[in-house]
Amino acid sequence: MLYHCISRCVRRQYLCGEDPLTGKDFSHRRDWIRARIFELSDIFAIGICSYAVMSNHLHVVLCVDQAEALEWDEHEVAKRWLALFGGTPLMRSFVAGEKLSDAQLSAVSSLIEKYRKRLFSISWFMRCLNEPIARWANSEDNVTGRFWEGRFKSQALLDEASVIAAMAYV
């Protein structure tokens, strides 16, 4: 399934490019965003069909591959999740191959199923994309508070014509 997602900055925040009012150049943020998008595509079961970073918003066309995530074994899911988040000591022990009790293995299995679903979720993908960018930009701008205009917007691309139109737009 393909989706066109858009995240927009709040107020007059600059995501990328030169701010004509202040003259400050934010072009280096494009590299942050590009690196993060491709880092996440290596972890999630979500491919990047196209993306565009504009002055105050970004577009991504995502291809969700649920079947790929469902084929991953438990260790693969756990490793991918730990690449994003530190994980619990129990999950780190599981990935390290330590001997676990049946109760611990049961807890790990239930966590892994939750993580597997998140690893093909566009909501989790966009969260993992937008949150660090907001933190980096706020830190660089020496401000606190919201950087993104609420939650991302998403549109499912249900047929070939909508895919082509979205890809051409982006």
Side-chain angles (χ1 to χ4, degrees), residues 21-168:
L21 192 64
T22 65
K24 192 169 181 183
D25 188 8
F26 298 101
S27 296
H28 62 282
R29 291 181 179 174
R30 182 171 280 122
D31 294 333
W32 295 353
I33 295 162
R34 183 181 184 285
R36 186 67 180 170
I37 285 172
F38 288 104
E39 176 186 1
L40 293 175
S41 74
D42 288 341
I43 296 170
F44 281 80
I46 295 178
I48 310 303
C49 298
S50 66
Y51 71 96
V53 182
M54 311 304 283
S55 64
N56 68 344
H57 66 287
L58 67 88
H59 296 266
V60 288
V61 176
L62 305 174
C63 178
V64 176
D65 190 353
Q66 182 178 353
E68 177 187 6
L70 295 175
E71 290 177 6
W72 294 333
D73 66 18
E74 289 189 335
H75 278 89
E76 182 67 21
V77 172
K79 277 185 358 192
R80 286 172 181 268
W81 189 257
L82 291 180
L84 289 169
F85 302 101
T88 63
L90 179 61
M91 193 59 66
R92 289 193 302 268
S93 295
F94 173 74
V95 169
E98 296 175 15
K99 180 100 171 101
L100 301 177
S101 70
D102 289 343
Q104 289 173 316
L105 286 172
S106 176
V108 164
S109 287
S110 112
L111 283 172
I112 284 175
E113 286 316 303
K114 180 167 61 171
Y115 298 159
R116 183 186 310 275
K117 289 176 186 167
R118 290 177 180 177
L119 287 170
F120 62 83
S121 162
I122 61 168
S123 292
W124 274 88
F125 182 94
M126 293 301 291
R127 173 189 179 196
C128 291
L129 173 62
N130 288 345
E131 185 177 323
I133 291 166
R135 289 180 192 277
W136 299 333
N138 280 348
S139 175
E140 182 180 66
D141 296 343
N142 201 26
V143 297
T144 60
R146 297 182 68 88
F147 180 77
W148 298 107
E149 186 181 86
R151 194 170 158 84
F152 69 96
K153 292 173 180 49
S154 172
Q155 180 179 15
L157 305 175
L158 301 174
D159 58 20
E160 191 174 308
S162 62
V163 171
I164 291 169
M167 297 284 282

